[in-house]
Amino acid sequence: MSVLRSMDKLPDLNRATVLLVSTEDALLQQLAESMLKDDCASELRVHLANSLPLPSNVNRPRIDLIVFVINLHSKYSLQKVEEFLQHVDSSFFLGKVCFLVTGAGRESHCSVHQNTVIKLAHTYRSPLLFCDLQVESFRAAMARRLVRILQICAGHVPGVSALNLMSLLRSPENPPSKEL
Amino acid sequence: MEEQPPERSEAGAEACGEKRGLSQAAEESIEDRISLLLRLRAQTKQQLLEYKSMVDTNEEKTPEQIVQEKQIEVKIEDLENEIEDVKSNIEMKSLALSRMKLSVALRDNMENMGPENCVLTDDMKHILKLQKLIMKSKEESSELEKKLLDVRKKRLQLKQASRSKLLEIQTEKNKQKEDVDKMENSETIKTMKKKLQTEIKITTVVQHTFQGLILASKTNWAEDPALRETVLQLEKDLTRYEKNPTV
């Protein structure tokens, strides 16, 4: 029962680890496969998790990026993600946490409003990405994006740090409210 | 005998080819390794930088008191703005540096360039012309702005003058009204009013006396029009002159 800390362990050489957290297993599997298919110069490690806190008996490399996947069609995923956020140390939120939202395309099935997620991302000052993970091409594009973000968070890109990226991806201060 | 040297030369050629192939592969692998090493070096540098910055932040004391959420939000926004300021400063400085480097390199290469030289000098002359134009138009625009400012000032002054004039007119009117009111309450008017009242009383008495005289004489005053007019005139009530003195 431990809190995830960002700089507890030393990094492995040329290795970048991403932790995908969500209540939906299938999405995570598909996303992980897309990410591994993408070729990049560093060695990629993808860890999948259904719930935090992670069991502490496993020997795990340093986690560089945490991606919380929220499905707008189920309130349960949002609830769980909000619970998981308590188990993450605040040092992670300096650019090493990312929120990925899926299912925004079909408005009729959405039980979670977009503004809720936007506010959540704004509170935690983390970038919010929208993607429909069911479609292959979108998933591949998002996987590439995540791989680039992961490389920056792992320190593999000289001159750009995670904090730098966070301020680059900063969204406007007042999230615009959608007129119904 | 003659077949052997070509074979040997072929073998020699093959051996040379293989060696070349091997050395190429070796070169490529060496290049790969060098690039990998360079990349790893850049990585480790970046990671070291990140760890150093974390150590520095942990040395700072965090405030222990519970700050309200609104204040935390404001603080976070201030810090984010600071980050943005620092980033833009760095960008501008690196831009200036690269510009200086470019101009130095250009200056150094001016002698070496042949036919491309004229293109460069033409470009530079064009740049100078444009910059002179920019400076001139900036001066003109600043002059126009000054004129605009003067006109606005004059307008404001005129407005203020008209306002004060209107105020004066108003005070004058108020004063006049006050004077009229005062006069009405003055003593002369009161004495005049009293006189008017007594005159009206006297005239009324005289009227009634004349009425009595005519009636007592028992003449038929309705037949004679002149007499009738006189009687009707005597009937007129004079107290209405008291109420409305302007009539």
Side-chain angles (χ1 to χ4, degrees), chain A residues 1-61:
Chain A
M1 289 296 185
S2 62
V3 169
L4 276 176
R5 287 183 210 281
S6 69
M7 299 274 185
D8 258 2
K9 305 183 186 147
L10 289 176
D12 298 323
L13 213 50
N14 210 24
R15 203 174 282 175
T17 316
V18 62
L19 176 67
L20 303 174
V21 181
S22 176
T23 51
E24 320 244 329
D25 279 339
L27 291 176
L28 290 186
Q29 280 286 345
Q30 289 173 329
L31 187 60
E33 279 166 30
S34 312
M35 280 179 80
L36 288 169
K37 270 190 224 162
D38 190 28
D39 59 340
C40 80
S42 342
E43 203 184 306
L44 278 184
R45 291 269 159 116
V46 181
H47 286 243
L48 306 174
N50 260 340
S51 73
L52 290 179
L54 299 173
S56 45
N57 47 4
V58 179
N59 186 16
R60 182 181 307 119

Side-chain angles (χ1 to χ4, degrees), chain A residues 65-84:
Chain A
L65 175 67
I66 303 182
V67 181
F68 288 100
V69 183
I70 301 175
N71 191 356
L72 281 186
H73 297 188
S74 82
K75 279 195 189 143
Y76 178 65
S77 70
L78 177 67
Q79 240 181 356
K80 277 290 171 183
V81 160
E82 280 174 356
E83 276 175 45
F84 297 158

Side-chain angles (χ1 to χ4, degrees), chain A residues 9 14 62 154 164 167 170, chain B residues 43 46-47 51 80 87:
Chain A
K9 305 183 186 147
N14 210 24
R62 179 186 90 143
N164 205 348
S167 69
R170 198 160 68 134
Chain B
Q43 269 181 27
Q46 179 76 16
Q47 285 167 348
Y51 275 101
E80 279 179 344
K87 271 168 81 169

